[in-house]
Amino acid sequence: MQQACVRLKPLCLSRGCYGRLRSRHPSGSKPCPATASRHSYSTVAGSTESPSSITITQPDDWHLHVRADNTLKAVVPHTAAVFKRAIIMPNLTPPVTTTPMAIEYRKQIMEAVPEGNHFEPLMTLYLTESTTPKDVEDAVQSGVVSAFKLYPAGATTNSSAGVKDLNNDQVKDTLAAMADLGLPLLVHGEVVEAHIDIFDREKEFLDTKLAPLQASLPNLRVVLEHVTTSNAVEYVNSGGDNIAATITPQHLLFNRNAILVGGIKPHMYCLPILKRESHRRALVEAAISGSEKFFLGTDSAPHPKGAKECACGCAGIFSAHAA
């Protein structure tokens, strides 16, 4: 009798999915490791028993914080146990701004991967106003760096070295080099102006920052990370092939009541902050729509307990152990 098999489509950043947003690797297109790395269970076609045959493609996590030192050693095995690959965020202290720094950081991560595990960290560089087109060229040629990360200065954890002005001439030249070389820009999409309500900062960023940037550089490959609003879903859906987005588990599962109702819940505080229920529902619809523009990025972000449970707690939800 034939074996029956169900395959669930992965959330994937590879060819045909994130492939159009990835850099052009010197050796050419890399096949999606997800297609070669599956967890399989068997059943028999036509059996009257409950289905027990399923082949699940091993997923990738396209937004992950693993920090450094002992924290890195503690959290990397959680991700490696489930995911084949992960996009690693560069907002360390100091930030990962050059290719040699990314290579060294990757080495530290690989040393924390359990023996026999084939987890692959994909490295990113932190975009600053000092980043040059030569830095972009070096990143592409290295075969190690998958993208640059844009943090608006002051938007989130360890973002003080981020970009204050997207119209800065050097920033514009660097972004143009990224567009020319096909290296994606991963975007924390929030403005930081104090007069803008924290619940409106994503929409304001789309209208005043990202839309003009994409109009000036239509070939720039952009991933709008950890989207939180229906406005972001509409923006991505209405854009061309060079715009996509990641969605986190917390923004799919919870709205802002999870932070505020019945007392402040510091472990539910993240940035971008949880939004209204209507926005959460829009994210769920995007996630289950079948669109290749939306994929998983857990944004798992570990902090010491004392840094969360205090008068001014850090933003970030550690979810790698459960994702």
Side-chain angles (χ1 to χ4, degrees), residues 50-71:
S50 298
S52 59
S53 174
I54 185 168
T55 300
I56 302 176
T57 303
Q58 189 173 8
D60 298 316
D61 183 352
W62 297 132
H63 186 130
L64 180 69
H65 299 269
V66 296
R67 309 304 188 200
D69 303 323
N70 288 336
T71 299

Side-chain angles (χ1 to χ4, degrees), residues 64-69 71-72 75-76 87-112 121-125 144:
L64 180 69
H65 299 269
V66 296
R67 309 304 188 200
D69 303 323
T71 299
L72 181 153
V75 302
V76 165
I87 290 281
I88 306 298
M89 293 296 107
N91 57 330
L92 305 184
T93 304
V96 181
T97 56
T98 68
T99 295
M101 293 177 73
I103 292 172
E104 174 58 28
Y105 190 28
R106 185 183 188 278
K107 179 182 176 183
Q108 294 171 21
I109 294 169
M110 292 303 298
E111 289 174 351
L122 303 179
M123 310 309 295
T124 63
L125 295 184
V144 171

Side-chain angles (χ1 to χ4, degrees), residues 5 38-42 52-56:
C5 177
R38 299 189 175 102
H39 300 297
S40 300
Y41 306 90
S42 297
S52 59
S53 174
I54 185 168
T55 300
I56 302 176

Side-chain angles (χ1 to χ4, degrees), residues 78-90:
H78 289 294
T79 292
V82 175
F83 294 99
K84 175 61 180 177
R85 300 182 297 176
I87 290 281
I88 306 298
M89 293 296 107

Side-chain angles (χ1 to χ4, degrees), residues 119-136:
F119 173 72
E120 180 183 2
L122 303 179
M123 310 309 295
T124 63
L125 295 184
Y126 190 116
L127 182 68
T128 74
E129 293 185 354
S130 299
T131 306
T132 67
K134 179 63 164 55
D135 293 326
V136 177

Side-chain angles (χ1 to χ4, degrees), residues 100-234:
M101 293 177 73
I103 292 172
E104 174 58 28
Y105 190 28
R106 185 183 188 278
K107 179 182 176 183
Q108 294 171 21
I109 294 169
M110 292 303 298
E111 289 174 351
V113 175
E115 185 176 353
N117 189 292
H118 300 294
F119 173 72
E120 180 183 2
L122 303 179
M123 310 309 295
T124 63
L125 295 184
Y126 190 116
L127 182 68
T128 74
E129 293 185 354
S130 299
T131 306
T132 67
K134 179 63 164 55
D135 293 326
V136 177
E137 294 173 8
D138 291 345
V140 171
Q141 292 172 4
S142 73
V144 171
V145 176
S146 295
F148 271 82
K149 177 64 182 276
L150 167 63
Y151 291 102
T156 189
T157 303
N158 296 339
S159 62
S160 59
V163 174
K164 297 178 180 178
D165 182 8
L166 282 171
N167 291 316
N168 175 294
D169 286 341
Q170 183 150 310
V171 171
K172 288 163 61 174
D173 289 344
T174 299
L175 293 174
M178 292 174 59
D180 290 342
L181 294 173
L183 197 63
L185 179 68
L186 313 183
V187 177
H188 182 112
E190 291 187 290
V191 297
V192 298
E193 288 82 357
H195 68 281
I196 304 297
D197 189 284
I198 192 171
F199 294 102
D200 298 330
R201 292 183 175 186
E202 183 172 274
K203 182 181 185 304
E204 185 73 10
F205 184 90
L206 299 176
D207 295 341
T208 66
K209 306 294 183 183
L210 189 54
L213 173 62
Q214 288 200 282
S216 66
L217 290 171
N219 293 327
L220 180 64
R221 298 172 173 184
V222 175
V223 178
L224 184 58
E225 297 201 299
H226 42 48
V227 292
T228 65
T229 61
S230 59
N231 310 98
V233 171
E234 291 167 7

